[in-house]
Amino acid sequence: MKKRRNTPTKEAVLEVLSKTGKAMSQDAIEQKIDIDINRATIYRVLNRFCDDGIVHRVVAEDGKQYFALCVKCEDNKEPSHHFHFRCLRCETIECLPVEVNFTIPDEYLVENVNCVLTGTCRDCSRI
Amino acid sequence: MKKRRNTPTKEAVLEVLSKTGKAMSQDAIEQKIDIDINRATIYRVLNRFCDDGIVHRVVAEDGKQYFALCVKCEDNKEPSHHFHFRCLRCETIECLPVEVNFTIPDEYLVENVNCVLTGTCRDCSRI
DNA sequence: TTATTTATTGCGATTGTATTGCAATATTAC
DNA sequence: GTAATATTGCAATACAATCGCAATAAATAA
Ligand SMILES: [Mn+2]
Ligand SMILES: [Mn+2]
Ligand SMILES: [Zn+2]
Ligand SMILES: [Zn+2]
């Protein structure tokens, strides 16, 4: 793996993702960062995070990419392949602690899983 | 519902989707049709099919939309919410007869399900 | 059949997301 | 400090999908 360097952008993006705990788009991340960072740079940082296994990418039915921290501590570990929920009202995507299970013939080689449920989230449905 | 008219485009798109039995992108559909049909028109036809419940839309991790006929006959019925498999080699997407199951609190209102597995399909893994 | 209504189409323009080339900059190692 | 090179900013680019509008054609009435 290529050697990584510490930069303000990395720190800022990580902090935003860490605080929200949800999956965010590049646009949403940029808006949450106080310093001014170029769009392309944020994408490159996010893609590097994905390469390094720090972050995972979710593609929703809106065709957009969302990025979330990979949570691996014991307390609130998320299954490697979990469902995501995109709320149409508050426009957030959360990683659900619900594992994706499926039965498929051995001849299929599954390399990636992308599962997104869309609708109204818990918080928004209570209003 | 708005009244629909029969057009050569509708017929052509339906025939292509029916023959392949898989989920296809606008681009792939256009290439399979012998007559020349405008891109925007194909998209509009497909969107109308989706509105009418004849076709369902799948969004893959490549961010593209794929469209497949809704199969509802007894012989090879597909579950309303089923997995899809996108093969990176032959670049096709097939509707798997595997139902998507998940447990999620009642407060969540699920309106749509989009699940795509990516990798190497059965045919391609045998080569 | 012809006339009328309006759903559908073609075309170009447009939107929106994401990536890329390249020169400038900043971080790390020495 | 200097050298090596990972990272960034900027503008250009790629690409999927949609939209506005005038032209066309399918369905229906006359
Ligand atoms: Mn997740
Ligand atoms: Mn399907
Ligand atoms: Zn919500
Ligand atoms: Zn294949």
Side-chain angles (χ1 to χ4, degrees), chain B residues 56 82 84 95:
Chain B
H56 62 283
H82 52 272
H84 295 89
C95 297

Side-chain angles (χ1 to χ4, degrees), chain A residues 104-120:
Chain A
I104 185 174
D106 291 335
E107 292 95 14
Y108 288 86
L109 304 178
V110 178
E111 295 177 14
N112 191 21
V113 174
N114 191 81
C115 291
V116 181
L117 313 177
T118 305
T120 309

